[in-house]
Amino acid sequence: LKALTRLNLSSTAVGDEGMITLAPLTSLASLLLVDTIVTDRGVISLAPLAAHLTHLALTGHHCGDAELIAVCSHLSALTRLEMLDNFEGALGFSEEGMRALASLTGLVHLELENAASDEGLMAISSLTAI
């Protein structure tokens, strides 16, 4: 499976430990984790995929500023990440949380359903490719 480029684990029982097993899939470009039990700890373990991962879907993962900042500080190594889908915040993100997203400079597609404010959008205004 080392040549696998797209993996959809949506609506599965895969969790944080499962994310660690993905490290050898260094050709993986697209990873869909919609409605899984993966936490920010699991997402952070995706750093070994930085060379090729361009699409990460996290719909259904509810987090606040602290989780968003932690995840983005590790995802910033994903310099090829172009698409981040529906990183939903149950309570929304503050300007500080949104500023963390600005570290993902390769983004050209970002979905933040129920997660942004006017101040938050100003914080990610440096993402000119979106």
Side-chain angles (χ1 to χ4, degrees):
L1 294 178
K2 288 185 180 184
L4 194 66
T5 60
R6 187 174 196 280
L7 181 59
N8 185 346
L9 295 172
S10 298
S11 300
T12 65
V14 173
D16 294 341
E17 291 181 25
M19 294 300 94
I20 296 166
T21 66
L22 298 180
L25 302 179
T26 55
S27 295
L28 199 60
S30 178
L31 180 59
L32 300 136
L33 300 172
V34 177
D35 293 325
T36 64
I37 58 172
V38 175
T39 69
D40 56 334
R41 188 172 61 95
V43 174
I44 288 167
S45 70
L46 298 174
L49 304 177
H52 295 284
L53 196 62
T54 59
H55 179 199
L56 181 59
L58 297 167
T59 305
H61 292 263
H62 298 281
C63 70
D65 282 337
E67 293 85 1
L68 180 65
I69 291 166
V71 168
C72 285
S73 69
H74 288 84
L75 287 184
S76 63
L78 299 173
T79 56
R80 295 193 51 177
L81 191 67
E82 296 176 354
M83 184 179 290
L84 183 62
D85 287 338
N86 284 347
F87 201 97
E88 294 181 6
L91 304 174
F93 300 134
S94 73
E95 184 178 340
E96 182 181 6
M98 295 291 283
R99 199 171 15 257
L101 283 173
S103 68
L104 304 175
T105 58
L107 286 178
V108 294
H109 179 104
L110 177 62
E111 293 188 25
L112 294 168
E113 186 178 325
N114 298 321
S117 65
D118 290 342
E119 294 82 13
L121 290 179
M122 291 298 293
I124 62 169
S125 64
S126 65
L127 294 172
T128 57
I130 294 180

